Amino acid sequence: MEHYRVAVIDDDKGNLKVADRILSLYGYTVDCLDSGEALLDYVKENKPDLILLDVHLKGMDGFETLQKLKSNHELRDIPVIFLTADTESDTETKALTAGASDFVVKPFVASVLLLRVKNTIELNKLQRDLKSEAKKLSSSIIEEHRRNERLSMQVVQTLAGAVDAKDKYTNGHSTRVAEYSREIARSAGLSEKEQEKIYMMGLLHDIGKIGVPDYVINKPTKLTPEEFDMIKTHPGVGYDILKNISEMPQLAVAARWHHERYDGTGYPDGLKGEDIPMEVRIITVADAYDAMSSRRSYHDVYAQEYIRSEFRNNMGTQFDPKFAQIMLDMIDEDTEYSMREDPDSYRVGDNGVTVEQNINSDKELVFGFLSMLEAGGLDTAIGMKYCMNDTEFYAEMLNEYTGSSDDRIRHLEECIACGNVEQYRVYVHSLKSASKTIGAISISESAAKLEEAAVNGDWKLIVDTTPDVIAELRGTVGSILMAMSIYGL
């Protein structure tokens, strides 16, 4: 990977540490800063490839900091991703309107943060490359054509990655669908040119999910009818995004019709049989296969025999029989079940349950430690998720949380004493994010209510409730310290 530098600005040490650990682990050079003022001093001597900027900062907030960056001609092209623990859609809208390239919610999910950072940097680099290329005269028409084809593929792949980054459960989905689609096309006897066309269509079939709220895409439980209606808008949104690409009109076709069914009961237009373009009928088969052979928020990886039965039972209804049969042949040839998400990290039993391949020799010790934290009120599944399932890193973040607790309490109490509601909001916002990162969900939810009270100016609720939250924080910190002492962490 090319060496990239990322500046992370957050006034919470825990968030800085998490971002630094995740990005450094994957080869990025990371510079951590704790304020907007510090960033403006930093960019006088440095020009990072990307800035991760917290919305809520002490002093100059993220929006004001971004405005100052954009007003500087030499700095305005540096892409900025906003960070926040806010869940309101208007915060995301305001961030993107202000000129941010993207928006990442805290606590960080490692895979989502990495994909958003990678895609934003690469998209920015592609845009700069394209501007540079536009200024040069081509020495060869053939070479220019080939270069444009390569750039088009890079842009398509980057956009596909941006879509997958919205859904933390489907990392790599678009690429796998594209690859399966190309293999079905090859087996069906289509030309190499047609295979590549279908591959690009597969990469962008889900582009419309960009227009669906993250909380709907990532919801781990059953969708409400209203939320399912939101999901069903993504084919139309994808079509609107891609329909003006006149050189590749087939991209919009796949985006609009990949949820049509062979029997005419699909959406959005109820197309039937061969009225559905052949390329889309292929992608529909590939899309369904990857949905069953990958982990989702609502199911684990299915066993091969279950997937076989689904294709057999739905030939002629959901799927074109010809292409469903090709997929069945591909499944029969895949005796090691390698045609699935991340096959090296786990195996799949006959019952469809995934089993991790790498079993930690210290499993009992880890289980005991996590169980004791659970007894102390932490949701360790959430904490481990935000710490990349790394027990040592989780322990490091717990140390950070306990070590900063006295300062957090002091700041909250001082704000109440002097009646500074704005600073109170900043500190309680930080407590909300840090608590969620380690799995202290009760404290995080209480802090969220106090933050809302600060925004609404409900000073009585703040004064009445803060002592209880501080007491809970002290109790949780005590439980964490006891567990870490017993297990020598």
Side-chain angles (χ1 to χ4, degrees):
M1 182 181 75
E2 190 172 340
H3 195 68
Y4 293 119
R5 180 176 295 275
V6 179
V8 184
I9 299 83
D10 197 303
D11 52 18
D12 186 281
K13 291 181 180 178
N15 289 330
L16 289 175
K17 187 170 287 188
V18 172
D20 188 17
R21 174 65 68 91
I22 293 171
L23 297 173
S24 298
L25 189 64
Y26 284 83
Y28 294 96
T29 297
V30 182
D31 295 321
C32 294
L33 306 164
D34 62 4
S35 69
E37 292 85 353
L39 172 63
L40 295 179
D41 286 338
Y42 165 86
V43 293
K44 292 176 182 177
E45 304 294 335
N46 304 276
K47 190 170 184 180
D49 297 286
L50 176 68
I51 294 171
L52 299 180
L53 179 61
D54 189 22
V55 171
H56 300 292
L57 292 166
K58 303 180 188 74
M60 188 188 308
D61 69 11
F63 293 111
E64 185 179 354
T65 304
L66 178 61
Q67 184 180 21
K68 290 185 180 296
L69 287 172
K70 293 298 182 183
S71 65
N72 187 315
H73 180 75
E74 295 182 358
L75 304 175
R76 66 178 57 174
D77 291 334
I78 301 175
V80 175
I81 295 178
F82 263 137
L83 310 173
T84 186
D86 288 343
T87 56
E88 295 84 0
S89 60
D90 59 340
T91 301
E92 183 173 355
T93 301
K94 185 178 177 183
L96 298 175
T97 303
S101 299
D102 210 336
F103 182 94
V104 173
V105 174
K106 297 183 295 186
F108 306 121
V109 175
S111 59
V112 174
L113 178 64
L114 287 167
L115 281 169
R116 296 278 176 99
V117 167
K118 175 178 178 289
N119 291 332
T120 300
I121 289 176
E122 290 186 353
L123 254 172
N124 184 256
K125 184 175 183 297
L126 280 172
Q127 289 168 349
R128 287 187 280 109
D129 288 347
L130 286 169
K131 288 179 182 178
S132 177
E133 288 297 323
K135 295 177 182 178
K136 298 178 183 178
L137 291 175
S138 174
S139 60
S140 166
I141 294 176
I142 294 177
E143 180 56 31
E144 183 67 19
H145 176 69
R146 290 174 178 170
R147 184 182 296 111
N148 287 338
E149 284 188 333
R150 290 195 298 270
L151 286 172
S152 295
M153 179 59 77
Q154 287 176 335
V155 171
V156 169
Q157 289 172 332
T158 301
L159 287 172
V163 175
D164 287 351
K166 277 184 69 72
D167 188 344
K168 62 187 178 184
Y169 297 103
T170 59
N171 183 18
H173 168 71
S174 298
T175 299
R176 291 192 299 274
V177 169
E179 290 172 348
Y180 300 152
S181 298
R182 181 165 56 189
E183 180 59 25
I184 295 171
R186 187 196 64 77
S187 298
L190 301 184
S191 68
E192 288 189 10
K193 186 175 181 180
E194 289 172 313
Q195 292 172 38
E196 289 308 304
K197 179 175 74 172
I198 288 174
Y199 179 83
M200 294 187 75
M201 294 168 72
L203 281 175
L204 292 185
H205 74 284
D206 264 345
I207 188 69
K209 284 186 176 179
I210 285 176
V212 180
D214 286 3
Y215 80 89
V216 175
I217 289 178
N218 291 307
K219 187 177 181 181
T221 54
K222 185 177 180 181
L223 297 176
T224 65
E226 294 77 15
E227 289 167 342
F228 186 58
D229 285 341
M230 291 184 196
I231 288 287
K232 289 175 70 174
T233 65
H234 82 269
V237 173
Y239 176 79
D240 288 339
I241 291 172
L242 300 174
K243 66 183 179 182
N244 293 322
I245 304 179
S246 58
E247 295 300 316
M248 292 184 285
Q250 68 273 11
L251 296 178
V253 167
R256 183 172 184 87
W257 288 329
H258 67 280
H259 280 291
E260 299 291 351
R261 292 171 55 105
Y262 197 72
D263 62 3
T265 62
Y267 65 90
D269 298 315
L271 298 186
K272 184 176 181 179
E274 296 192 4
D275 289 339
I276 306 169
M278 175 191 65
E279 298 91 342
V280 180
R281 283 179 272 142
I282 290 174
I283 290 169
T284 299
V285 169
D287 190 23
Y289 177 83
D290 188 66
M292 290 186 281
S293 62
S294 303
R295 289 170 167 173
R296 290 291 187 272
S297 60
Y298 45 87
H299 73 70
D300 219 321
V301 177
Y302 290 125
Q304 278 185 312
E305 190 50 47
Y306 174 82
I307 299 175
R308 284 191 189 94
S309 68
E310 285 296 292
F311 277 107
R312 291 192 196 103
N313 294 337
N314 290 284
M315 294 173 70
T317 53
Q318 183 175 354
F319 309 116
D320 183 316
K322 174 182 176 181
F323 300 126
Q325 185 57 55
I326 290 176
M327 178 53 77
L328 285 169
D329 294 340
M330 290 167 59
I331 294 171
D332 290 339
E333 292 171 6
D334 184 19
T335 57
E336 299 297 322
Y337 198 2
S338 59
M339 195 167 64
R340 58 187 169 88
E341 175 200 24
D342 200 11
D344 294 329
S345 67
Y346 55 87
R347 61 185 173 81
V348 180
D350 293 337
N351 59 356
V353 176
T354 58
V355 182
E356 299 298 330
Q357 297 281 51
N358 299 318
I359 301 175
N360 191 330
S361 60
D362 296 326
K363 184 176 180 181
E364 291 185 4
L365 181 67
V366 171
F367 177 78
F369 174 58
L370 296 179
S371 296
M372 192 168 183
L373 291 173
E374 289 274 357
L378 295 188
D379 188 331
T380 59
I382 291 177
M384 287 288 283
K385 178 184 73 171
Y386 288 123
C387 293
M388 301 180 288
N389 289 319
D390 183 332
T391 307
E392 290 185 3
F393 186 38
Y394 187 28
E396 188 177 334
M397 293 307 301
L398 290 170
N399 267 318
E400 177 68 39
Y401 186 79
T402 57
S404 63
S405 62
D406 286 343
D407 284 341
R408 292 185 190 278
I409 292 169
R410 177 172 54 81
H411 288 314
L412 292 173
E413 290 177 336
E414 287 176 351
C415 287
I416 290 178
C418 66
N420 190 333
V421 68
E422 180 55 34
Q423 280 300 304
Y424 180 90
R425 184 190 63 79
V426 172
Y427 289 124
V428 82
H429 175 87
S430 177
L431 176 63
K432 175 183 72 172
S433 175
S435 298
K436 189 172 183 180
T437 299
I438 65 160
I441 301 304
S442 176
I443 297 175
S444 180
E445 291 175 348
S446 297
K449 293 177 182 177
L450 287 170
E451 181 184 15
E452 183 179 358
V455 171
N456 295 331
D458 190 346
W459 191 244
K460 184 178 186 305
L461 179 63
I462 291 171
V463 172
D464 291 345
T465 308
T466 300
D468 293 335
V469 176
I470 289 175
E472 185 178 5
L473 174 58
R474 287 190 170 121
T476 299
V477 167
S479 298
I480 294 170
L481 291 174
M482 180 180 293
M484 297 184 75
S485 174
I486 290 173
Y487 286 91
L489 296 171

